[in-house]
Amino acid sequence: TTRGEAENSIPLIKMGNIKEGRFVYKKLELVDESVIDSSYLLSSGDLLFNTRNTPEMTGKVAVWRNDYPIATFDNNLLRLRFDKRVNPFFMGNLLTSDAIYLKFRGLVTGSNSVAAIYWKDLSRMKLNLPPIAEQDKITEILLKIENSLEAKIQKNEKLKNMKKGLMQDLLTGKVRVKV
């Protein structure tokens, strides 16, 4: 199903929708809500972990932030939910760090084209977590940085588009430059 096709269709988050710790929706697939078991619906704070892909792509993670009011995920993704001692957004940032990425590389099994990280191996991985108050503060700081970076990226895109438009006007002679 493609976007906007049916009213009772919901987004199906797949491994291709995870990039650099965030969700991307350029190739979003929709599924009929009636075929989805409600236990597979995403909630804010659900961390999705890519269990199968190429060795480089296995281990990608992102935390669901309710970008859509209702959504589900496919079976190549592992959903992790945490108790009140873990801020899922802190965990998402931790699991996208370079140090953890290297740990994930050590867990990957399989070939160069199809690799996997299995729950039995992932569940044995030890992580040192600060107290929840510190996790919350770190998350708050990182969110401010992310928002600032996103605003700068959007401003940069806007300036690039303005430049393209101006170049088009100048190169076609629509706007003349006095020499």
Short mmCIF file of all heavy atoms in Angstrom, two decimals, residues 62-105:
data_model
loop_
_atom_site.label_atom_id
_atom_site.label_comp_id
_atom_site.label_asym_id
_atom_site.label_seq_id
_atom_site.Cartn_x
_atom_site.Cartn_y
_atom_site.Cartn_z
N ALA A 62 16.63 3.59 16.58
CA ALA A 62 15.95 4.88 16.69
C ALA A 62 14.84 4.72 17.71
O ALA A 62 14.31 3.62 17.90
CB ALA A 62 15.39 5.33 15.34
N VAL A 63 14.49 5.82 18.35
CA VAL A 63 13.44 5.82 19.36
C VAL A 63 12.20 6.48 18.78
O VAL A 63 12.27 7.58 18.23
CB VAL A 63 13.89 6.55 20.65
CG1 VAL A 63 12.77 6.58 21.68
CG2 VAL A 63 15.13 5.89 21.23
N TRP A 64 11.07 5.79 18.91
CA TRP A 64 9.80 6.27 18.37
C TRP A 64 9.34 7.49 19.17
O TRP A 64 9.29 7.45 20.40
CB TRP A 64 8.76 5.16 18.41
CG TRP A 64 7.49 5.55 17.76
CD1 TRP A 64 6.30 5.77 18.37
CD2 TRP A 64 7.27 5.79 16.36
NE1 TRP A 64 5.35 6.12 17.43
CE2 TRP A 64 5.92 6.15 16.20
CE3 TRP A 64 8.09 5.74 15.24
CZ2 TRP A 64 5.37 6.44 14.95
CZ3 TRP A 64 7.54 6.04 14.01
CH2 TRP A 64 6.20 6.38 13.87
N ARG A 65 9.00 8.57 18.46
CA ARG A 65 8.57 9.82 19.09
C ARG A 65 7.15 10.20 18.67
O ARG A 65 6.80 11.37 18.65
CB ARG A 65 9.52 10.94 18.70
CG ARG A 65 10.95 10.73 19.15
CD ARG A 65 11.88 11.79 18.57
NE ARG A 65 13.25 11.45 18.80
CZ ARG A 65 14.05 12.17 19.58
NH1 ARG A 65 13.61 13.25 20.17
NH2 ARG A 65 15.30 11.80 19.76
N ASN A 66 6.35 9.22 18.32
CA ASN A 66 4.97 9.45 17.89
C ASN A 66 4.89 10.40 16.70
O ASN A 66 4.04 11.29 16.66
CB ASN A 66 4.10 9.96 19.05
CG ASN A 66 3.74 8.86 20.02
OD1 ASN A 66 3.88 7.68 19.71
ND2 ASN A 66 3.31 9.24 21.20
N ASP A 67 5.76 10.21 15.72
CA ASP A 67 5.70 11.02 14.50
C ASP A 67 4.38 10.81 13.77
O ASP A 67 3.93 11.68 13.03
CB ASP A 67 6.87 10.68 13.58
CG ASP A 67 8.22 11.07 14.18
OD1 ASP A 67 8.24 11.93 15.08
OD2 ASP A 67 9.24 10.52 13.74
N TYR A 68 3.79 9.65 13.96
CA TYR A 68 2.46 9.34 13.45
C TYR A 68 1.63 8.88 14.65
O TYR A 68 2.15 8.25 15.56
CB TYR A 68 2.52 8.21 12.40
CG TYR A 68 3.14 8.65 11.10
CD1 TYR A 68 4.51 8.57 10.89
CD2 TYR A 68 2.34 9.14 10.08
CE1 TYR A 68 5.08 8.99 9.70
CE2 TYR A 68 2.91 9.56 8.88
CZ TYR A 68 4.27 9.49 8.70
OH TYR A 68 4.83 9.90 7.53
N PRO A 69 0.34 9.18 14.65
CA PRO A 69 -0.49 8.82 15.81
C PRO A 69 -0.57 7.31 16.04
O PRO A 69 -0.72 6.86 17.17
CB PRO A 69 -1.86 9.40 15.50
CG PRO A 69 -1.83 9.86 14.10
CD PRO A 69 -0.41 9.92 13.64
N ILE A 70 -0.44 6.54 14.97
CA ILE A 70 -0.48 5.09 15.09
C ILE A 70 0.46 4.51 14.04
O ILE A 70 0.49 4.98 12.91
CB ILE A 70 -1.93 4.56 14.95
CG1 ILE A 70 -2.00 3.07 15.22
CG2 ILE A 70 -2.52 4.93 13.61
CD1 ILE A 70 -3.43 2.54 15.31
N ALA A 71 1.26 3.52 14.44
CA ALA A 71 2.22 2.90 13.53
C ALA A 71 2.61 1.54 14.08
O ALA A 71 2.43 1.25 15.26
CB ALA A 71 3.46 3.78 13.36
N THR A 72 3.18 0.71 13.20
CA THR A 72 3.67 -0.61 13.59
C THR A 72 5.06 -0.80 12.99
O THR A 72 5.58 0.10 12.32
CB THR A 72 2.68 -1.71 13.14
OG1 THR A 72 3.07 -2.95 13.72
CG2 THR A 72 2.59 -1.81 11.63
N PHE A 73 5.66 -1.95 13.23
CA PHE A 73 7.02 -2.21 12.76
C PHE A 73 7.11 -3.62 12.20
O PHE A 73 6.31 -4.48 12.53
CB PHE A 73 8.03 -2.00 13.90
CG PHE A 73 7.79 -2.88 15.10
CD1 PHE A 73 8.52 -4.04 15.30
CD2 PHE A 73 6.82 -2.54 16.04
CE1 PHE A 73 8.28 -4.84 16.40
CE2 PHE A 73 6.58 -3.33 17.15
CZ PHE A 73 7.30 -4.49 17.32
N ASP A 74 8.11 -3.84 11.33
CA ASP A 74 8.22 -5.17 10.73
C ASP A 74 9.11 -6.08 11.57
O ASP A 74 9.74 -5.66 12.53
CB ASP A 74 8.66 -5.08 9.26
CG ASP A 74 10.15 -4.91 9.04
OD1 ASP A 74 10.91 -4.78 10.01
OD2 ASP A 74 10.57 -4.91 7.87
N ASN A 75 9.15 -7.36 11.16
CA ASN A 75 9.81 -8.37 11.99
C ASN A 75 11.33 -8.37 11.91
O ASN A 75 11.97 -9.18 12.59
CB ASN A 75 9.26 -9.76 11.69
CG ASN A 75 9.52 -10.18 10.26
OD1 ASN A 75 10.06 -9.43 9.47
ND2 ASN A 75 9.11 -11.39 9.92
N ASN A 76 11.95 -7.52 11.11
CA ASN A 76 13.41 -7.39 11.13
C ASN A 76 13.87 -6.40 12.19
O ASN A 76 15.06 -6.19 12.37
CB ASN A 76 13.94 -6.97 9.76
CG ASN A 76 13.87 -8.10 8.77
OD1 ASN A 76 14.19 -9.24 9.09
ND2 ASN A 76 13.45 -7.81 7.56
N LEU A 77 12.91 -5.77 12.85
CA LEU A 77 13.21 -4.82 13.91
C LEU A 77 12.82 -5.43 15.25
O LEU A 77 11.77 -6.06 15.37
CB LEU A 77 12.47 -3.51 13.69
CG LEU A 77 12.84 -2.75 12.43
CD1 LEU A 77 11.90 -1.56 12.23
CD2 LEU A 77 14.28 -2.29 12.46
N LEU A 78 13.66 -5.21 16.22
CA LEU A 78 13.38 -5.64 17.58
C LEU A 78 12.93 -4.42 18.36
O LEU A 78 13.61 -3.39 18.34
CB LEU A 78 14.66 -6.22 18.20
CG LEU A 78 14.66 -6.55 19.69
CD1 LEU A 78 13.69 -7.70 19.97
CD2 LEU A 78 16.06 -6.92 20.14
N ARG A 79 11.79 -4.51 19.02
CA ARG A 79 11.31 -3.40 19.84
C ARG A 79 11.78 -3.63 21.27
O ARG A 79 11.59 -4.69 21.85
CB ARG A 79 9.80 -3.30 19.82
CG ARG A 79 9.31 -2.22 20.80
CD ARG A 79 7.83 -2.01 20.82
NE ARG A 79 7.11 -3.25 21.02
CZ ARG A 79 5.80 -3.37 20.82
NH1 ARG A 79 5.10 -2.34 20.42
NH2 ARG A 79 5.21 -4.52 21.02
N LEU A 80 12.40 -2.58 21.84
CA LEU A 80 12.82 -2.62 23.23
C LEU A 80 12.06 -1.57 24.01
O LEU A 80 11.93 -0.42 23.56
CB LEU A 80 14.33 -2.35 23.35
CG LEU A 80 15.25 -3.33 22.61
CD1 LEU A 80 16.69 -2.84 22.69
CD2 LEU A 80 15.12 -4.73 23.18
N ARG A 81 11.54 -1.98 25.16
CA ARG A 81 10.87 -1.06 26.07
C ARG A 81 11.60 -1.14 27.41
O ARG A 81 12.02 -2.21 27.82
CB ARG A 81 9.40 -1.43 26.25
CG ARG A 81 8.57 -1.11 25.03
CD ARG A 81 7.11 -1.41 25.23
NE ARG A 81 6.34 -0.85 24.13
CZ ARG A 81 5.11 -1.21 23.86
NH1 ARG A 81 4.48 -2.11 24.61
NH2 ARG A 81 4.47 -0.66 22.84
N PHE A 82 11.72 0.01 28.06
CA PHE A 82 12.51 0.09 29.28
C PHE A 82 11.64 0.45 30.48
O PHE A 82 10.60 1.09 30.33
CB PHE A 82 13.62 1.14 29.11
CG PHE A 82 14.49 0.87 27.92
CD1 PHE A 82 14.31 1.56 26.73
CD2 PHE A 82 15.48 -0.09 27.97
CE1 PHE A 82 15.10 1.31 25.62
CE2 PHE A 82 16.27 -0.36 26.87
CZ PHE A 82 16.08 0.34 25.68
N ASP A 83 12.11 0.06 31.65
CA ASP A 83 11.40 0.45 32.87
C ASP A 83 11.79 1.88 33.24
O ASP A 83 12.57 2.52 32.54
CB ASP A 83 11.65 -0.55 34.00
CG ASP A 83 13.09 -0.59 34.49
OD1 ASP A 83 13.82 0.42 34.34
OD2 ASP A 83 13.50 -1.62 35.05
N LYS A 84 11.26 2.37 34.34
CA LYS A 84 11.43 3.78 34.72
C LYS A 84 12.87 4.16 35.08
O LYS A 84 13.16 5.34 35.24
CB LYS A 84 10.48 4.13 35.86
CG LYS A 84 10.75 3.36 37.14
CD LYS A 84 9.74 3.73 38.20
CE LYS A 84 10.13 3.15 39.52
NZ LYS A 84 9.49 2.06 40.05
N ARG A 85 13.76 3.20 35.16
CA ARG A 85 15.17 3.50 35.47
C ARG A 85 15.97 3.89 34.22
O ARG A 85 17.13 4.27 34.32
CB ARG A 85 15.83 2.30 36.14
CG ARG A 85 15.25 1.96 37.50
CD ARG A 85 15.81 0.67 38.01
NE ARG A 85 15.38 -0.39 37.10
CZ ARG A 85 15.83 -1.64 37.12
NH1 ARG A 85 16.73 -1.99 38.00
NH2 ARG A 85 15.39 -2.53 36.26
N VAL A 86 15.33 3.78 33.04
CA VAL A 86 16.03 4.07 31.79
C VAL A 86 15.21 5.05 30.96
O VAL A 86 14.05 4.82 30.68
CB VAL A 86 16.26 2.77 30.98
CG1 VAL A 86 16.94 3.09 29.65
CG2 VAL A 86 17.09 1.78 31.77
N ASN A 87 15.85 6.15 30.58
CA ASN A 87 15.25 7.10 29.65
C ASN A 87 15.49 6.54 28.24
O ASN A 87 16.65 6.41 27.82
CB ASN A 87 15.90 8.48 29.82
CG ASN A 87 15.35 9.52 28.88
OD1 ASN A 87 15.12 9.26 27.71
ND2 ASN A 87 15.15 10.72 29.39
N PRO A 88 14.44 6.19 27.50
CA PRO A 88 14.65 5.57 26.19
C PRO A 88 15.40 6.47 25.21
O PRO A 88 16.14 5.97 24.35
CB PRO A 88 13.23 5.27 25.69
CG PRO A 88 12.33 6.11 26.52
CD PRO A 88 13.03 6.36 27.82
N PHE A 89 15.24 7.78 25.33
CA PHE A 89 15.94 8.69 24.43
C PHE A 89 17.43 8.76 24.77
O PHE A 89 18.26 8.87 23.88
CB PHE A 89 15.27 10.07 24.46
CG PHE A 89 13.82 9.97 24.05
CD1 PHE A 89 12.81 10.00 24.99
CD2 PHE A 89 13.47 9.82 22.71
CE1 PHE A 89 11.48 9.87 24.62
CE2 PHE A 89 12.15 9.69 22.33
CZ PHE A 89 11.14 9.72 23.28
N PHE A 90 17.75 8.64 26.06
CA PHE A 90 19.15 8.51 26.46
C PHE A 90 19.73 7.23 25.86
O PHE A 90 20.81 7.23 25.29
CB PHE A 90 19.28 8.49 27.99
CG PHE A 90 20.68 8.21 28.46
CD1 PHE A 90 21.59 9.24 28.59
CD2 PHE A 90 21.09 6.91 28.74
CE1 PHE A 90 22.90 8.98 29.00
CE2 PHE A 90 22.39 6.64 29.14
CZ PHE A 90 23.30 7.67 29.27
N MET A 91 18.97 6.13 26.00
CA MET A 91 19.43 4.84 25.49
C MET A 91 19.61 4.91 23.97
O MET A 91 20.58 4.38 23.44
CB MET A 91 18.44 3.74 25.87
CG MET A 91 18.90 2.35 25.47
SD MET A 91 20.45 1.81 26.23
CE MET A 91 19.88 1.43 27.87
N GLY A 92 18.70 5.55 23.28
CA GLY A 92 18.83 5.70 21.83
C GLY A 92 20.12 6.41 21.45
O GLY A 92 20.83 6.00 20.53
N ASN A 93 20.43 7.49 22.19
CA ASN A 93 21.69 8.21 21.91
C ASN A 93 22.90 7.35 22.26
O ASN A 93 23.89 7.35 21.53
CB ASN A 93 21.72 9.53 22.69
CG ASN A 93 20.90 10.60 22.02
OD1 ASN A 93 21.18 10.99 20.90
ND2 ASN A 93 19.86 11.07 22.69
N LEU A 94 22.80 6.64 23.37
CA LEU A 94 23.91 5.78 23.77
C LEU A 94 24.17 4.70 22.72
O LEU A 94 25.31 4.46 22.32
CB LEU A 94 23.61 5.13 25.13
CG LEU A 94 24.66 4.16 25.67
CD1 LEU A 94 25.98 4.89 25.93
CD2 LEU A 94 24.17 3.49 26.94
N LEU A 95 23.11 4.07 22.24
CA LEU A 95 23.26 2.97 21.28
C LEU A 95 23.68 3.43 19.89
O LEU A 95 24.07 2.61 19.06
CB LEU A 95 21.98 2.15 21.21
CG LEU A 95 21.60 1.41 22.49
CD1 LEU A 95 20.33 0.59 22.29
CD2 LEU A 95 22.73 0.53 23.00
N THR A 96 23.61 4.72 19.61
CA THR A 96 24.11 5.23 18.33
C THR A 96 25.52 5.80 18.46
O THR A 96 26.08 6.30 17.48
CB THR A 96 23.18 6.31 17.73
OG1 THR A 96 23.01 7.36 18.67
CG2 THR A 96 21.83 5.72 17.37
N SER A 97 26.11 5.73 19.65
CA SER A 97 27.47 6.25 19.85
C SER A 97 28.49 5.33 19.19
O SER A 97 28.24 4.14 18.97
CB SER A 97 27.78 6.38 21.34
OG SER A 97 27.90 5.10 21.94
N ASP A 98 29.64 5.87 18.87
CA ASP A 98 30.70 5.09 18.22
C ASP A 98 31.15 3.91 19.07
O ASP A 98 31.40 2.83 18.54
CB ASP A 98 31.90 5.99 17.90
CG ASP A 98 31.60 7.00 16.80
OD1 ASP A 98 30.62 6.80 16.05
OD2 ASP A 98 32.35 7.99 16.69
N ALA A 99 31.26 4.10 20.38
CA ALA A 99 31.72 3.03 21.26
C ALA A 99 30.78 1.83 21.23
O ALA A 99 31.21 0.68 21.16
CB ALA A 99 31.87 3.54 22.69
N ILE A 100 29.49 2.09 21.25
CA ILE A 100 28.52 1.00 21.21
C ILE A 100 28.46 0.38 19.83
O ILE A 100 28.30 -0.84 19.68
CB ILE A 100 27.12 1.48 21.69
CG1 ILE A 100 27.21 2.01 23.12
CG2 ILE A 100 26.09 0.37 21.57
CD1 ILE A 100 27.70 1.02 24.15
N TYR A 101 28.59 1.20 18.79
CA TYR A 101 28.62 0.67 17.43
C TYR A 101 29.72 -0.40 17.31
O TYR A 101 29.51 -1.45 16.72
CB TYR A 101 28.85 1.81 16.43
CG TYR A 101 28.93 1.33 15.00
CD1 TYR A 101 27.77 1.08 14.27
CD2 TYR A 101 30.16 1.13 14.37
CE1 TYR A 101 27.83 0.63 12.95
CE2 TYR A 101 30.23 0.69 13.06
CZ TYR A 101 29.07 0.44 12.35
OH TYR A 101 29.13 -0.01 11.06
N LEU A 102 30.88 -0.12 17.90
CA LEU A 102 31.98 -1.10 17.86
C LEU A 102 31.60 -2.37 18.61
O LEU A 102 31.95 -3.47 18.19
CB LEU A 102 33.26 -0.48 18.41
CG LEU A 102 33.90 0.61 17.55
CD1 LEU A 102 35.08 1.25 18.27
CD2 LEU A 102 34.31 0.06 16.20
N LYS A 103 30.90 -2.23 19.73
CA LYS A 103 30.43 -3.41 20.46
C LYS A 103 29.45 -4.22 19.61
O LYS A 103 29.50 -5.45 19.60
CB LYS A 103 29.76 -3.02 21.78
CG LYS A 103 30.73 -2.61 22.86
CD LYS A 103 30.00 -2.40 24.17
CE LYS A 103 30.99 -2.05 25.27
NZ LYS A 103 30.38 -2.06 26.59
N PHE A 104 28.57 -3.53 18.90
CA PHE A 104 27.62 -4.21 18.02
C PHE A 104 28.36 -5.01 16.95
O PHE A 104 27.96 -6.10 16.58
CB PHE A 104 26.66 -3.23 17.36
CG PHE A 104 25.59 -2.69 18.27
CD1 PHE A 104 24.96 -1.50 17.95
CD2 PHE A 104 25.22 -3.34 19.43
CE1 PHE A 104 23.96 -0.99 18.76
CE2 PHE A 104 24.23 -2.84 20.26
CZ PHE A 104 23.60 -1.65 19.92
N ARG A 105 29.43 -4.43 16.39
CA ARG A 105 30.20 -5.12 15.35
C ARG A 105 30.66 -6.48 15.86
O ARG A 105 30.72 -7.44 15.10
CB ARG A 105 31.44 -4.31 14.92
CG ARG A 105 31.21 -3.00 14.23
CD ARG A 105 30.35 -3.05 12.97
NE ARG A 105 29.01 -2.65 13.33
CZ ARG A 105 27.86 -3.24 12.97
NH1 ARG A 105 27.83 -4.22 12.16
NH2 ARG A 105 26.70 -2.83 13.38
#
